[in-house]
Amino acid sequence: GAVVSQHPSWVICKSGTSVKIECRSLDFQATTMFWYRQFPKQSLMLMATSNEGSKATYEQGVEKDKFLINHASLTLSTLTVTSAHPEDSSFYICSAPAGGTGNEQFFGPGTRLTVL
Amino acid sequence: GENVEQHPSTLSVQEGDSAVIKCTYSDSASNYFPWYKQELGKRPQLIIDIRSNVGEKKDQRIAVTLNKTAKHFSLHITETQPEDSAVYFCAASIGGGFKTIFGAGTRLFVKA
């Protein structure tokens, strides 16, 4: 089946620093990827749609200047949390549809971000 | 945009009993409805999905029903086992290249 990887799996950083999270589709190409944030005991909240070769589409209430998304190739999307603060601490998960007319989304394993 | 509501938030059943989780969606254009099981700290795992041209789908102990008119869909788990204990999410999307919106989740406890 289709495989999506994320790196790093966890990261701890100091307040005010920036953190980059990578999402890769390993065995398929993804012109679209999605980024979600999940706080403890809550649902997955869609942050943005990452589009290869064009600007990301952000959901209402998500600051585009704080959460920078780059989708430079058909297999890689990156999410950079800029000037991170403790309230940005969360589980970040990406997903990608595995092409064709299939609907199924394949999820990465997630990245646990802790901002001190 | 799409809004998905899910009930109940917590469900506790005895081993062997059935569990039912219900969801509603708002966007009539949605045509794909997956259900995910998520264990603590892990990625969501697809357990079953249904498309809008189908009213019911079954896979062993798991079944999903869809009522397009009412915009309702439900997950049924029969003969529950302790390993079914997890958080379950329903979701809705328009298609594979379109965003998936999740329900709030149901924490299922199966007591041995």
Side-chain angles (χ1 to χ4, degrees), chain A residues 21-86:
Chain A
I21 302 170
E22 293 185 348
C23 177
R24 292 183 186 273
S25 56
L26 298 186
D27 51 1
F28 66 100
Q29 294 182 334
T31 56
T32 302
M33 292 182 174
F34 302 96
W35 287 96
Y36 294 86
R37 179 169 53 182
Q38 186 176 32
F39 292 111
K41 296 187 178 181
Q42 293 189 22
S43 185
L44 283 80
M45 299 302 297
L46 181 66
M47 299 176 66
T49 302
S50 175
N51 305 299
E52 187 269 332
S54 64
K55 292 182 180 179
T57 305
Y58 290 82
E59 294 299 301
Q60 190 172 10
V62 178
E63 300 174 59
K64 61 180 66 176
D65 294 331
K66 180 169 182 64
F67 298 99
L68 300 179
I69 291 172
N70 184 278
H71 195 149
S73 77
L74 289 171
T75 59
L76 174 64
S77 174
T78 60
L79 169 68
T80 300
V81 183
T82 64
S83 187
H85 290 285

Side-chain angles (χ1 to χ4, degrees), chain A residues 4 32 34 36 38 41-44 46 59 91 97 102-105 107-109, chain B residues 32 36 38 41-44 46 51 89 95-100 102-104 107:
Chain A
V4 175
T32 302
F34 302 96
Y36 294 86
Q38 186 176 32
K41 296 187 178 181
Q42 293 189 22
S43 185
L44 283 80
L46 181 66
E59 294 299 301
F91 193 49
N103 296 82
E104 184 176 356
Q105 295 281 337
F107 287 85
Chain B
Y32 176 65
Y36 295 93
Q38 188 181 32
K42 302 288 183 64
R43 77 187 87 191
L46 179 70
R51 289 172 171 77
F89 293 99
F98 295 87
K99 57 189 180 184
T100 299
F102 283 75
R107 190 169 297 274

